[in-house]
């Protein structure tokens, strides 16, 4: 039976290497049956150990085969069986085991099973750092990489899981939902029972899977993520790991963004958004945009989003216009850098002139946010002050261009840019009225003649509709506009 089992495993590997995964699956499942049929066999200790080792290999290969066949659930099931058996046999390579457990956590993250993902990552951390055992199960490949790399990846996995929990908490809060307990999972209870998280003083695993609903919980999850990111950054330094280092800095920016939602103090919110920008801005001075095109675009987009958030906080809290304008100009600068980089990319546009699908959504959002930012930095002139409506005209041009692009490529029929399309339509109708009202107000102040009631009412109506449009755009930018908000806006515009 042992020779039969070994032969079937070898055939499975052979056909897997030839990319015929269906045939590989047939041989490996037959090997699985051989093991199950041997349950009643009376084997010597040595033969029994060999058969158990071969069965572990069978499970290991099946995990890979089902991954190639696109069956993620079966792949994950066989992966967890393999890892459990290696622990039970007390025979494994700790770096390989930790790496595989961290990768298994990714599967549970995609299923939004935070508890199971946390269990995989905590087990990976403990096995790598606190369970030094004899390694090298017979036939199971040992780590061929750098152990420091594995350790950093486990830290990064923990950091990303905490960050994802914080993001879910923010999104639930925006949607008016609450999830004040960790998600439960039947899978998590059977994952690695041989690994205990007790008495591990160096790290607290109690918040893995916890979705925060208030500032105290959010701050706790934020700090746990920050600790793990900092450890990962000690390995992924800029000199040698440019992509990984910058990816972590962008993750940190998102971390500050998500926790700022739970902060009630506007000044502290602004500080958090500035901390998003602080490590990223110097990177642009040294980064080669041709060699790191994707990162170049990501950094510009992230910086534009950071400064736009600060501008809107200052506007909501009626801070001095000059301060709001300064950060607004920075937002425009970085959004423009991102937009220009996308449009200049050789692979960005299709033959029809449409932005490539992988870039289009972010490109549309960046242009929409830039238009809103232009509109927000329009200064209302004081009596006797020279009128400058260039920011509002720039906003109008942006909305008109977006509307033309949406119409040209029929985005609404694809379910893309729907609410934003309607808002652009409203803004192209309202902004000329707003510009006219500013000019008319300035003209009336320089030549104080009585205005007709109808003219005053027209300007007042335009101003009210404009305020409604700005509120609707603010809502759509943050959460996605609803049909009701667009309908209400339309009614105001018609009035």
């Amino acid at each position: 039976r042992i020779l039969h089992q070994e032969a079937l495993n070898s055939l499975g590997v052979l056909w897997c290497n030839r990319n015929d995964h269906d045939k590989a699956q047939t041989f490996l499942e037959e090997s699985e049956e051989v093991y199950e049929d041997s349950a009643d066999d009376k084997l010597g200790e040595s033969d029994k150990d060999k058969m158990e080792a071969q069965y572990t290999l069978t499970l290991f290969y099946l995990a890979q085969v089902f991954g190639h066949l696109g069956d993620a659930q079966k792949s994950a099931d066989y992966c967890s069986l393999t890892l459990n058996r290696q622990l039970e046999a007390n025979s494994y390579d700790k770096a390989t085991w930790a790496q595989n457990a961290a990768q298994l956590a990714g599967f549970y993250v995609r299923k939004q099973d935070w508890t199971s993902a946390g269990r995989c990552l905590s087990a990976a951390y403990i096995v790598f750092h606190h369970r030094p055992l004899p390694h090298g199960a017979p036939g199971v490949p040992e780590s061929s990489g750098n152990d420091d790399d594995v350790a950093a990846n486990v830290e990064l996995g923990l950091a990303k899981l905490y960050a994802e929990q914080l993001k879910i908490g923010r999104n639930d809060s925006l949607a008016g939902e609450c999830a004040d307990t960790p998600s439960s999972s039947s899978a998590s209870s059977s994952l690695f029972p041989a690994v205990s998280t007790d008495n591990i003083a160096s790290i607290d695993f109690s918040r893995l899977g916890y979705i925060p609903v208030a500032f105290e919980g959010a701050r706790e999850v934020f700090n746990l993520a920050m600790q793990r990111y900092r450890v990962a950054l000690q390995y992924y330094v800029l000199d040698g790991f440019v992509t990984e280092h910058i990816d972590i800095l962008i993750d940190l920016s998102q971390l500050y963004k998500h926790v700022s939602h739970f902060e009630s103090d506007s000044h502290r919110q602004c500080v958090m958004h500035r901390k998003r920008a602080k490590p990223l801005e110097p990177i642009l001075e040294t980064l080669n945009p041709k060699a790191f095109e994707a990162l170049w675009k990501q950094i510009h987009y992230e910086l534009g989003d950071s400064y736009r958030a600060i501008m809107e906080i200052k506007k909501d809290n009626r801070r001095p216009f000059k301060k709001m304008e300064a950060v607004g100009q920075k937002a425009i600068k970085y959004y423009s850098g991102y937009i220009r980089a996308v449009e200049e990319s050789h692979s960005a546009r299709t033959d029809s002139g449409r932005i490539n699908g992988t870039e289009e959504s972010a490109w549309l959002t960046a242009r929409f946010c830039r238009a809103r930012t232009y509109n927000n930095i329009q200064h209302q002139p004081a009596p006797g002050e020279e009128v400058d409506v260039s920011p509002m005209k720039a906003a109008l041009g942006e909305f008109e261009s977006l509307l033309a692009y949406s119409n040209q490529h029929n985005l609404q029929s694809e379910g893309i840019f729907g609410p934003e399309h309607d808002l652009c339509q409203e803004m192209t109708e309202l902004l000329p009225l707003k510009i006219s009202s500013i000019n008319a107000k300035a003209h009336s102040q320089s030549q104080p003649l009585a205005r007709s009631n109808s003219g005053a009412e027209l300007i007042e109506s335009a101003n009210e509709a404009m305020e409604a449009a700005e509120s609707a755009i603010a809502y759509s930018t943050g959460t996605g506009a609803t049909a009701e908000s667009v309908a209400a806006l339309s009614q105001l515009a018609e009035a």
Side-chain angles (χ1 to χ4, degrees), residues 158-294:
L158 285 164
K160 286 179 176 291
L161 179 57
Y162 284 126
E164 189 67 20
Q165 291 169 207
L166 190 58
K167 177 182 175 181
I168 295 297
R170 172 184 178 269
N171 291 346
D172 286 349
S173 175
L174 288 169
E177 300 172 1
C178 286
D180 56 0
T181 57
S183 59
S184 59
S185 169
S186 58
S188 63
S189 60
S190 62
L191 286 170
F192 322 127
V195 179
S196 173
T197 59
D198 297 336
N199 303 318
I200 304 296
S202 59
I203 186 170
D204 177 13
F205 296 112
S206 64
R207 285 308 196 190
L208 284 171
Y210 168 73
I211 307 299
V213 296
F215 178 72
E216 290 303 319
R219 181 174 60 184
E220 188 177 358
V221 174
F222 169 86
N223 286 334
L224 289 167
M226 184 65 76
Q227 290 169 11
R228 309 271 59 93
Y229 274 127
R230 284 173 177 163
V231 175
L233 277 174
Q234 292 174 7
Y235 177 76
Y236 287 120
V237 295
L238 185 60
D239 184 12
F241 297 98
V242 176
T243 299
E244 293 85 351
H245 184 87
I246 294 176
D247 280 342
I248 292 174
L249 294 184
I250 292 172
D251 283 350
L252 288 172
S253 173
Q254 288 291 298
L255 195 66
Y256 276 111
K257 176 181 179 178
H258 298 323
V259 77
S260 70
H261 168 78
F262 296 94
E263 175 58 65
S264 58
D265 182 84
S266 61
H267 174 71
R268 289 179 59 83
Q269 282 183 324
C270 286
V271 169
M272 290 175 182
H273 286 294
R274 288 192 185 278
K275 285 186 176 181
R276 297 173 60 190
K278 187 176 179 179
L280 290 174
E281 283 186 297
I283 297 289
L284 289 178
E285 298 175 7
T286 57
L287 192 67
N288 185 331
K290 292 183 179 179
F292 299 98
E293 180 182 334

Side-chain angles (χ1 to χ4, degrees), residues 253-254 257 273 276 299-310 331 334-335 365 369 477:
S253 173
Q254 288 291 298
K257 176 181 179 178
H273 286 294
R276 297 173 60 190
I299 293 172
H300 276 86
Y301 189 98
E302 197 68 24
L303 288 169
D305 188 65
S306 303
Y307 283 112
R308 179 186 60 80
I310 297 171
Y334 289 118
Y335 276 134
T365 301
C369 290
T477 301

Side-chain angles (χ1 to χ4, degrees), residues 399-400 403 407 419-431 489:
F399 284 124
E400 289 175 338
L403 190 61
N407 288 330
E420 294 88 349
H421 175 101
D422 294 332
L423 289 168
C424 285
Q425 180 71 59
E426 301 296 344
M427 294 303 288
T428 58
E429 296 170 1
L430 293 170
L431 277 171
L489 176 57

